[in-house]
């Protein structure tokens, strides 16, 4: 995909996330890997009102080269790209239910959402490590996210929200949506006895869908 098309797709998918309430205000940021660097949503920009030409461009070393000033979470995105060479896009949201799970004091630190549905396993994976709390934009979060992202497609930032990677921009957005819906189910079902997918059902999904 050419850069201009990628910019337009980013504008469309971000607006769709915003329109459906996955992002509010200026929360959230999205990046995409290009042949010669990265696109990143500008800091303090609403995902509902991105302008294609104003999206920040970074070189391969994550230096800002054009467009508006990039998200202050550039370290969070860099951690994923460096830990996961196949990742083509990273989506960070403050989506309500995933953020609710990130605030649970008794959450499992490696798999806070049980494998309730196949699409959660297929799009997000078997683990969703919780990263300890850092102030938004704090570069100190980078090593912790990097270490977790080596073995996980997505993480939850404690008391902050999800960060999801994918093999394309569209896949990363779909995974972020699937994670939010899985978190909604997990919160709805809290206190209920659930029938989770069994380890062999989970392994079957991983084997068939990767
Ligand atoms: P930016 O506006 O700098 O992208 O920050 C928004 C956000 O979601 C912080 O976590």
């Amino acid at each position: 995909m050419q850069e201009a098309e990628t910019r337009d797709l980013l504008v469309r998918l971000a607006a769709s996330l915003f329109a459906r309430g996955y992002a509010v205000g200026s929360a959230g940021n999205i990046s995409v890997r290009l042949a010669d660097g990265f696109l990143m949503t500008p800091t303090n920009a609403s995902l509902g009102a991105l302008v294609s030409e104003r999206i920040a461009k970074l070189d391969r070393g994550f230096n800002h080269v054009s467009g508006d000033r990039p998200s202050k979470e550039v370290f969070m995105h860099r951690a994923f790209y460096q830990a996961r060479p196949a990742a083509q896009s990273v989506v960070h949201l403050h989506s309500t239910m995933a953020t609710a799970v990130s605030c649970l004091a008794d959450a499992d630190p490696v798999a806070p959402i049980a494998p309730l549905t196949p699409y959660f396993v297929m799009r997000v994976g078997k683990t969703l490590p919780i990263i300890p709390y850092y102030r938004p934009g704090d570069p100190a979060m980078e090593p912790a996210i990097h270490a977790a992202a080596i073995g996980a497609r997505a993480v939850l930032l404690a008391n902050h929200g999800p960060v999801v990677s994918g093999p394309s921009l569209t896949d990363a957005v779909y995974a972020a949506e699937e994670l939010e819906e899985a978190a909604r189910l997990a919160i709805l079902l809290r206190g209920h006895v659930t029938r989770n997918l069994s380890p062999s059902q989970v392994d079957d999904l991983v084997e068939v869908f990767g």
Side-chain angles (χ1 to χ4, degrees):
M1 201 186 287
Q2 296 300 306
E3 181 178 325
E5 272 179 88
T6 305
R7 285 175 180 266
D8 290 346
L9 181 61
L10 176 49
V11 170
R12 275 208 311 282
L13 289 173
S16 167
L17 285 170
F18 188 87
R20 290 173 296 133
Y22 290 93
V24 297
S26 65
N29 33 73
I30 303 177
S31 63
V32 190
R33 198 194 290 266
L34 301 172
D36 61 349
F38 300 87
L39 292 176
M40 184 159 302
T41 51
T43 190
N44 294 324
S46 166
L47 293 189
L50 294 175
V51 178
S52 178
E53 313 79 63
R54 294 182 62 175
I55 292 171
K57 183 157 181 187
L58 312 182
D59 65 17
R60 288 200 190 115
F62 292 86
N63 304 299
H64 183 203
V65 290
S66 63
D68 288 352
R69 195 152 62 89
S71 169
K72 63 176 147 327
E73 304 290 23
V74 60
F75 307 102
M76 170 202 291
H77 292 251
R78 182 166 73 180
F80 263 90
Y81 289 118
Q82 292 187 340
R84 303 184 70 78
Q88 296 301 312
S89 179
V90 175
V91 175
H92 166 55
L93 299 173
H94 298 172
S95 53
T96 310
M97 294 298 175
T99 304
V101 172
S102 84
C103 298
L104 292 173
D106 62 351
D108 180 319
V110 181
I113 299 176
L116 290 162
T117 63
Y119 263 72
F120 175 67
V121 177
M122 287 154 58
R123 293 235 174 247
V124 180
K126 280 164 61 157
T127 60
L128 180 66
I130 300 183
I131 307 298
Y133 176 78
Y134 290 92
R135 187 184 67 241
D138 184 350
M141 74 176 81
E142 186 168 0
I145 297 178
H146 185 277
I150 289 171
R153 273 179 264 174
V155 302
L156 275 187
L157 307 176
N159 301 75
H160 184 167
V163 192
V164 179
S165 66
S168 71
L169 169 58
T170 302
D171 282 304
V173 168
Y174 286 175
E177 294 183 24
E178 202 62 50
L179 170 52
E180 175 62 8
E181 298 314 312
R184 186 185 308 280
L185 291 175
I187 296 286
L188 272 172
L189 292 167
R190 238 168 110 73
H192 294 266
V193 179
T194 57
R195 183 182 54 251
N196 300 343
L197 298 181
S198 69
S200 68
Q201 288 169 329
V202 169
D203 288 345
D204 171 61
L205 289 167
V206 173
E207 201 180 307
V208 174
F209 296 104

